[in-house]
Amino acid sequence: MRNVLFVISGPSGVGKGTIVDLLLSEDSDLVESVSCTTRAPRAGEVNGREYFFITEHEFRDRIAANDFLEYDEHFGNFYGTPRSFVERCLKEKSVLLEIDVVGALNAKRLMPERTVLIMVTPPSLQELERRLSARGSEGEEALKERMRRVRYELDQAPLYDYVVVNDDLQRTKHEIQEIIRKEKEKSI
Ligand code: 5GP
C-alpha cells in the first residue's frame, strides 16, 4: 500500500467539509493537514484546528524559508500548506488536503505521482445557488460573485483525477472511500 496525498476541492456550499469530517472519523490511516492563514479566525474557529492563524510577516518569512508546499492568496489573505507536516505524515499515512483548485493543481505539479485530485460538485448549479442563498448571510451581489467563483471552479473539473457529485452524503462518502482504497493499492 502506498501513502497518497488526496486533495479535495469543490465550490463553497457543496458540503466538502462534512464529507472530509466523515472520511477522517472513519479512517485512522488518513490525516488532514491544517493550513496556515493570515485571515482572522471566525467565531468558533480554534488555532491549530481549522487553521494555524499567523501574521502576514510570519507568512512571508515562511515563504522565504520554503516552508510551504503550496500557497495562494484569496480575498486578500494568504493560505498555505505546511511542507514539513505533509512530508512527515506521508511517511506513515495518507494525507488529506481541503484546498481550492489553484492550490490543488500546484500540489499535483509538485508531487505528480503521489497526488490524487478529487473534486466534489453539486448535483446542479441551481441546487447550489439554492443552498447558498438559503444560508441567507449575503446580499444579491455577493451571491452573484460567489456563483461566478463556483462556475470558475467547476470549469477546472477536467483537470481533476475524479469528479464526484454530492447528491447524497452517504453515497458520496462511499464513492470517495472507494477512490481512496483503490488509489492506495496502486503501485506506481
Ligand atoms: P476560508 O477563508 O473560507 O476558510 O477559505 C478560503 C479559501 O482558501 C477556500 O477556497 C479554501 O479551500 C482555500 N484554502 C484553505 N487552505 C488553503 C491552503 O493551504 N492552500 C490554498 N491554496 N488554499 C487554501
Side-chain angles (χ1 to χ4, degrees), residues 66-107:
N66 198 22
D67 265 2
F68 294 117
L69 186 65
E70 61 77 38
Y71 67 92
D72 199 9
E73 197 182 336
H74 301 279
F75 313 110
N77 292 305
F78 288 107
Y79 295 79
T81 306
R83 176 192 302 281
S84 58
F85 177 83
V86 171
E87 288 179 349
R88 201 167 359 100
C89 285
L90 275 174
K91 293 199 174 109
E92 285 165 25
K93 294 182 174 207
S94 286
V95 176
L96 195 89
L97 304 181
E98 186 193 329
I99 59 176
D100 76 311
V101 289
V102 178
L105 297 173
N106 282 335

Side-chain angles (χ1 to χ4, degrees), residues 79-144:
Y79 295 79
T81 306
R83 176 192 302 281
S84 58
F85 177 83
V86 171
E87 288 179 349
R88 201 167 359 100
C89 285
L90 275 174
K91 293 199 174 109
E92 285 165 25
K93 294 182 174 207
S94 286
V95 176
L96 195 89
L97 304 181
E98 186 193 329
I99 59 176
D100 76 311
V101 289
V102 178
L105 297 173
N106 282 335
K108 181 87 176 179
R109 209 172 41 233
L110 288 167
M111 292 192 203
E113 318 272 78
R114 277 209 149 184
T115 306
V116 172
L117 304 184
I118 303 170
M119 178 172 290
V120 181
T121 68
S124 71
L125 273 180
Q126 289 86 336
E127 169 63 17
L128 186 65
E129 194 163 5
R130 196 190 58 70
R131 280 189 218 165
L132 285 176
S133 61
R135 284 184 179 176
S137 53
E138 343 179 82
E140 197 158 318
E141 253 324 296
L143 187 63
K144 272 195 195 147

Side-chain angles (χ1 to χ4, degrees), residues 8-19 98 119-124 127-128 131-132 135 146 150 153-154 164-169 172:
I8 297 201
S9 313
S12 76
V14 80
K16 55 185 189 304
T18 313
I19 296 168
E98 186 193 329
M119 178 172 290
V120 181
T121 68
S124 71
E127 169 63 17
L128 186 65
R131 280 189 218 165
L132 285 176
R135 284 184 179 176
R146 262 185 191 275
V150 166
E153 292 192 5
L154 293 177
V164 178
V165 181
N166 185 17
D167 45 7
D168 172 88
L169 186 59
T172 307

Side-chain angles (χ1 to χ4, degrees), residues 166-179:
N166 185 17
D167 45 7
D168 172 88
L169 186 59
Q170 290 300 323
R171 196 208 61 75
T172 307
K173 181 197 74 178
H174 277 126
E175 187 176 339
I176 298 178
Q177 284 172 329
E178 270 307 289
I179 292 170

